[in-house]
Amino acid sequence: MQQQGKRQTPGRNVVVVGTQWGDEGKGKVVDWLTDHAQGVVRFQGGHNAGHTLVINGVKTALQLIPSGIMREGVACYIGNGVVVDPTHLLSEIERLEAIGVEVRSRLFVSESCPLIMPFHVAVDKAREALRETSGAGKIGTTGKGIGPAYEDKVARRALRVQDLKHPQRFAAKLRDLLALHNEALTGYLQAEALEFDPIFEHAMKVAEQLKPMLADVGYLLHCAHRDGANLLFEGAQGTLLDIDHGTYPYVTSSNCVAGNAAAGAGVGPDLLHYVLGITKAYTTRVGSGPFPTELPMDEPGTVGHHLSTVGQERGVVTGRPRRCGWLDAALLKRSMIINGVSGLCITKLDVLDGLDEIKVCIGYELNGQRIDILPLDADDIIACKPIYASFPGWTETTAGVTEWDALPENARRYLETVQQHIGAPIAMVSTGADRDHTILMRHPYAA
Ligand code: GDP
Ligand code: IMO
Ligand code: MG
């Protein structure tokens, strides 16, 4: 029997994913879309993510808490696929509370999330240092312990959020895990060992604060959907950083693609109705790894310098400068296939304002052959020479434009051609960091 007061039609759900190497503007778009959603879910990654929201000129950077938190009354879920650093989570909650955002009553953290502990951070940093000195070359991780925490999950020995409720169980698992990591730290990683007592005592203190927010997230999502709530699945990182589909080994340690939204949130794939791919109008990458359309950025007056400075391309989490280059439609073609993108949101169009010529990579030359999709092998990607299509730029400003027809003709032509090359329709265009600087063509929540 239907409960009184509940809507009878199940909700409609949207998955937001990055289609490049992260930092495409996912946070801004998730915040914008959340006026149509009652719940926002993170399903992978951890606080290696940095999602920026600008609301009426005020900037907020989120790392672990879903970008729906800035909309009053929206429920926010951290799904089982996310690795949770409990100390970081608490500090992010407190940071939001300090600016007047109510968090604890509407944040639900899956009991199944693996925990990131201080030794994961130590191992992450020590490995990077060793890779550098040994000449193997750094991955360029964010140093947040993401990789080592996922390794423990897959090795079936991780501490999980649910262990925070059971001090004795927590202590026993922690003792074993710490011994294992200390062996690696003091052995081949040539770093300091960590002590049990401070880690345990601190974790138990944080646990007291987090316990009220622990939940069976998959079941809550199922109920919310059944009762008519629209859900938004918020991807972190980007498709080319995906552990399976990215530019391995220069990737993160989770599946960032849309298909993982179901497994990482604890729902069935039938709940993923629309996949919105977020694509920056050019390309950026933080950390090491191949990047066919990369441009030199140091020289003022060059396109690389323009993208870096006008686009303010600096990492939210680490403050590192992001590498910049032209849009790569051949890379995006692969991204569309892997994610099953229903529609695109092109972001940061305004950063291209004032360029005389705009280029888009439409394929590569590899070993004397022409290919039109990014190859899978990192060495092949390094050997790829981009083939570019060229477009005339525009002198008018697109910053803050909210109507398609108000865009300069050359900007419209550029977007239309890009859409044809990528093979997915443009649903939205973002013309500025602020929530309202958005052009809507087809609403992802419209049935
Ligand atoms: P995310 O990780 O995908 O959420 O992206 P980040 O927040 O790391 O990086 C995107 C940056 O671009 C942030 O500083 C945003 O405020 C900013 N941004 C987002 N959309 C636009 C846009 O359309 N134009 C401009 N100029 N900035 C944007
Ligand atoms: P958002 O969600 C851009 C990159 C790191 C490094 C690689 C591995 O803001 O788009 P990790 O710490 O995950 O082991 O680092 O992945 N990386 C990101 N790059 N945006 C992100 O997130 C990223 N999260 C991780 O720079 O190259
Ligand atoms: Mg980011």
Side-chain angles (χ1 to χ4, degrees), residues 18 22-29 49-54 59 67 234-237 278 280 282 310-316 322 346-351 429-434 437:
D23 303 325
E24 297 91 348
K26 299 177 291 293
K28 178 217 153 137
V29 178
H51 295 179
T52 317
L53 284 57
V54 181
K59 192 188 261 199
S67 299
E234 177 179 5
Q237 290 80 56
I278 314 298
K280 206 180 273 194
Y282 48 99
V310 179
Q312 299 180 25
E313 295 297 351
R314 220 157 242 290
V316 179
R322 296 174 182 150
I346 306 286
T347 61
K348 302 191 91 161
L349 180 71
D350 53 299
V351 175
V429 179
S430 172
T431 57
D434 208 279
H437 297 163

Side-chain angles (χ1 to χ4, degrees), residues 21-24 26 48-51 124 139-144 146-147 235-238 241 251-253 286-288 320:
W21 278 291
D23 303 325
E24 297 91 348
K26 299 177 291 293
N48 50 348
H51 295 179
D124 191 1
I139 301 284
T141 72
T142 58
K144 301 295 180 193
I146 304 294
Q237 290 80 56
L241 287 172
V251 291
T252 191
S253 300
V286 213
S288 320
R320 292 175 291 178

